[in-house]
Amino acid sequence: MVVKMSSPSSRPSLASDAPIGIFDSGIGGLTVAHAMAQAMPAERMLYFGDTAHMPYGDRSPELVRTYSVRIAEFLAAEGCKAIVIACNSASATAKEAVEASVGPGIPVIDVVAPVVKYLSAKGAERVGVMGTRATVGSGIYGRSLREAHAGAGRTGCRVEEWPTPLLAPLIEEGWQSHAIMLPVIEGYLQSAGWVKGQDRLIDALVLGCTHYPLAADAFREVLGDAVEIVDGPSIVASAVAAALLDEGLTAPPSQAEGKGLAAHRFMVSDLTETFVRSAQRFFGKEVPLVPGGPWFQH
Ligand code: DGL
């Protein structure tokens, strides 16, 4: 499929009161949107979940890139001042393509780089990453973290990635606190070799899929306090705030006054009752999802 690159020069100039565009393969990215809403109450968001094409985690990198570019161009054409790729699978495979398609001037923030930066700053040595097949197959976390450690002159760091494709569907089903989650998580941790009996062989666990933060309590129950469960959404929200500040694009504080959910727009490419119900769990409150986006026929 050929993706038409839109011309950056045909876009209206960016204003600090413009919305932030944020997208995911579905509604998992709402965990990031929620953290952004908490951290930046004055910002408005245009969220797009590509529910018609999910899961991205089982797609080829080429197809994830094609979808991601098309969505980013849609968000840019809607006047978004920044693009947040709130999907690990798309961050791992499509960041450069998204940047190239929207052109310079629109900051693009993905969900991998801020977490790598955080772990590198902490000097985390034994890191486990769980994610979809697309994310783990790309090796993005291991490669980036090893590079960051090497750049800081640190040696001996161990980063291992493990695909955990059963988790997103279970969470999507609303089973993040269901008793079945514990043996599934434990089974994956044991298969990865990060848990042996009472031993914990990692210091930090990256939840490398935007669905997983919903199951953070189940991970904590299995791993105990000795392993840090990395809080991706809030780390990413801070990175978005920093990028906006750098570019002089932070929303005026007055925009926070009297602002409710209606200040944001939440779109999905396929709207079903299930997505409406799950979206409420992912965002922590009811989300006014509407059908829309680049594939939507008016
Ligand atoms: N939200 C996606 C991610 O972070 C996972 C769901 C999917 O496979 O589409 O990778």
Side-chain angles (χ1 to χ4, degrees), residues 73-297:
E73 289 182 339
F74 166 77
L75 294 173
E78 289 286 307
C80 292
K81 62 183 177 182
I83 309 278
V84 178
I85 309 178
C87 173
N88 285 264
S89 311
S91 296
T93 52
K95 168 102 182 276
E96 286 78 15
V98 165
E99 281 175 333
S101 75
V102 298
I106 300 188
V108 176
I109 301 98
D110 68 288
V111 288
V112 174
V115 168
V116 167
K117 194 169 164 195
Y118 167 85
L119 287 166
S120 163
K122 285 197 89 175
E125 288 197 342
R126 300 181 306 171
V127 178
V129 181
M130 286 185 161
T132 62
R133 288 198 176 95
T135 301
V136 168
S138 77
I140 183 105
Y141 277 101
R143 196 166 53 249
S144 315
L145 195 49
R146 277 188 287 273
E147 272 169 24
H149 275 316
R154 246 178 259 120
T155 53
C157 116
R158 204 188 79 209
V159 190
E160 288 172 1
E161 297 159 271
W162 199 260
T164 47
L166 288 178
L167 295 182
L170 285 171
I171 295 167
E172 196 91 19
E173 192 61 30
W175 282 18
Q176 65 274 5
S177 308
H178 194 286
I180 206 166
M181 275 309 267
L182 299 182
V184 173
I185 289 174
E186 203 162 3
Y188 275 138
L189 287 165
Q190 277 171 6
S191 312
W194 303 335
V195 161
K196 283 207 176 85
Q198 296 305 305
D199 293 336
R200 304 286 176 257
L201 304 177
I202 48 173
D203 308 313
L205 177 70
V206 175
L207 304 183
C209 168
T210 48
H211 280 62
Y212 300 176
L214 251 68
D217 287 346
F219 280 99
R220 225 166 268 123
E221 196 167 333
V222 175
L223 285 169
D225 294 334
V227 178
E228 176 181 356
I229 315 256
V230 179
D231 182 8
S234 63
I235 292 168
V236 173
S238 301
V240 175
L244 294 180
L245 197 62
D246 272 2
E247 303 281 335
L249 288 171
T250 305
S254 58
Q255 202 166 267
E257 285 159 25
K259 186 163 98 34
L261 257 189
H264 308 299
R265 288 159 74 201
F266 298 92
M267 289 179 187
V268 285
S269 44
D270 185 29
L271 182 63
T272 66
E273 263 313 303
T274 315
F275 289 135
V276 171
R277 269 198 306 278
S278 318
Q280 186 167 353
R281 278 196 307 276
F282 281 83
F283 198 73
K285 58 173 110 155
E286 203 172 319
V287 177
L289 280 187
V290 294
W295 293 279
F296 190 67
Q297 305 294 319

